[in-house]
Amino acid sequence: MAPMKLYGATMSWNVTKCAVALEEAGAEYEIVPIDFATGEHKSPEHLARNPFGQVPALQDGDLYVFESRAICKYACRKNKPELLKEGDLKEAAIVDVWLEVEAHQYSPALTPILFQVLVKPMLGGTCDEKVVEENLEKLKTVLAVYEARLSKCKYLAGDFISLADLNHVSMTLCLFATPHASVLDAYPHVKAWWAGLMERPSVQKVAALMKPSA
Ligand code: GS8
């Protein structure tokens, strides 16, 4: 069967979030860059893949999936369902909890920081330090909860790796490209969790893809 196609540039953390899940699931896929500079993301071809004209989008044969977290779940269900613990009602529920925490706590605090520090200057704007400071405070509140959780178990959903952990990787890699990675220093269990994730071949491969020279 033809490899899946993941549409979007690897400078987008929503695209690389999917790449981590696809790598970890052992899926066959290729990345097809979409050129924002020429407005390719708003072209009829891309709107057919994602009607919001955004990246990422995934094509698997005649199936199109958009929304990064839905793509990640699809990759797991297709190639490595144990990353969702779907066979176990209770474990799957806890994986879901931490998937939601990533989407509704971690990501909303970190996204404005990454946008201000990494994206805005690329678009010719200047970083609003007030927005960064406000969201660093929000992020610290979230990290305190992670610290308590990770002092009880090795990974977020328990003593097993799951998609809930992996979905944090791409944005956290971006955090390390800002001057604010030291925010993690106050949370030793979070740092140890992150160091363990960084050792994974899937994470190393995607981290290399995210380097501007890649
Ligand atoms: C967000 C996608 C998104 O914001 C998801 O897939 O998780 N909830 C969606 N994509 C941005 C690139 S930043 O990663 C995008 O495509 N922006 C272009 C636009 O909105 O026009």
Side-chain angles (χ1 to χ4, degrees), residues 9 11-18 34 36 41-42 46 50 52-57 66-71 107 111 115 119:
M11 65 190 294
S12 155
W13 52 81
N14 286 315
V15 173
T16 46
K17 187 195 297 143
C18 301
I34 293 291
F36 276 20
H41 53 313
K42 305 297 179 194
H46 192 69
N50 180 335
F52 294 99
Q54 293 186 324
V55 298
F66 60 93
E67 281 297 333
S68 58
R69 294 174 183 88
I71 293 171
S107 174
T111 299
F115 182 77
V119 180

Side-chain angles (χ1 to χ4, degrees), residues 16-91:
T16 46
K17 187 195 297 143
C18 301
V20 171
L22 287 157
E23 286 291 335
E24 189 78 28
E28 278 195 42
Y29 75 102
E30 60 190 352
I31 295 177
V32 182
I34 293 291
D35 188 359
F36 276 20
T38 61
E40 193 184 356
H41 53 313
K42 305 297 179 194
S43 67
E45 291 80 12
H46 192 69
L47 286 168
R49 301 175 193 120
N50 180 335
F52 294 99
Q54 293 186 324
V55 298
L58 183 84
Q59 181 185 1
D60 188 11
D62 61 1
L63 175 72
Y64 289 89
V65 185
F66 60 93
E67 281 297 333
S68 58
R69 294 174 183 88
I71 293 171
C72 293
K73 277 190 173 174
Y74 177 72
C76 293
R77 287 201 181 105
K78 182 175 179 186
N79 290 97
K80 203 167 182 186
E82 56 266 41
L83 288 172
L84 295 169
K85 290 281 174 193
E86 286 201 323
D88 184 305
L89 189 61
K90 287 187 180 173
E91 284 181 336

Side-chain angles (χ1 to χ4, degrees), residues 7-212:
Y7 291 91
T10 52
M11 65 190 294
S12 155
W13 52 81
N14 286 315
V15 173
T16 46
K17 187 195 297 143
C18 301
V20 171
L22 287 157
E23 286 291 335
E24 189 78 28
E28 278 195 42
Y29 75 102
E30 60 190 352
I31 295 177
V32 182
I34 293 291
D35 188 359
F36 276 20
T38 61
E40 193 184 356
H41 53 313
K42 305 297 179 194
S43 67
E45 291 80 12
H46 192 69
L47 286 168
R49 301 175 193 120
N50 180 335
F52 294 99
Q54 293 186 324
V55 298
L58 183 84
Q59 181 185 1
D60 188 11
D62 61 1
L63 175 72
Y64 289 89
V65 185
F66 60 93
E67 281 297 333
S68 58
R69 294 174 183 88
I71 293 171
C72 293
K73 277 190 173 174
Y74 177 72
C76 293
R77 287 201 181 105
K78 182 175 179 186
N79 290 97
K80 203 167 182 186
E82 56 266 41
L83 288 172
L84 295 169
K85 290 281 174 193
E86 286 201 323
D88 184 305
L89 189 61
K90 287 187 180 173
E91 284 181 336
I94 305 304
V95 173
D96 281 351
V97 167
W98 289 95
L99 284 169
E100 296 296 319
V101 171
E102 183 279 322
H104 301 297
Q105 303 283 354
Y106 192 76
S107 174
L110 191 45
T111 299
I113 300 169
L114 301 182
F115 182 77
Q116 290 298 329
V117 179
L118 301 177
V119 180
K120 231 172 142 189
M122 269 194 319
L123 302 175
T126 44
C127 170
D128 184 334
E129 294 297 342
K130 190 166 173 281
V131 173
V132 173
E133 285 311 316
E134 278 169 13
N135 283 285
L136 278 171
E137 289 312 307
K138 282 189 199 163
L139 186 60
K140 287 179 195 168
T141 309
V142 175
L143 288 172
V145 176
Y146 279 54
E147 181 65 13
R149 176 69 183 164
L150 291 166
S151 66
K152 290 199 208 98
C153 44
K154 190 165 176 214
Y155 295 102
L156 290 171
D159 287 324
F160 53 87
I161 182 96
S162 75
L163 183 63
D165 305 292
L166 299 169
N167 274 5
H168 288 75
V169 166
S170 65
M171 292 192 86
T172 309
L173 284 170
C174 289
L175 173 63
F176 276 86
T178 75
H180 303 292
S182 58
V183 69
L184 298 181
D185 290 350
Y187 310 97
H189 289 91
V190 174
K191 281 199 92 172
W193 166 73
W194 177 247
L197 289 174
M198 277 301 290
E199 282 172 13
R200 302 183 79 80
S202 64
V203 174
Q204 287 176 11
K205 187 165 170 190
V206 175
L209 289 178
M210 290 168 77
K211 297 242 162 70

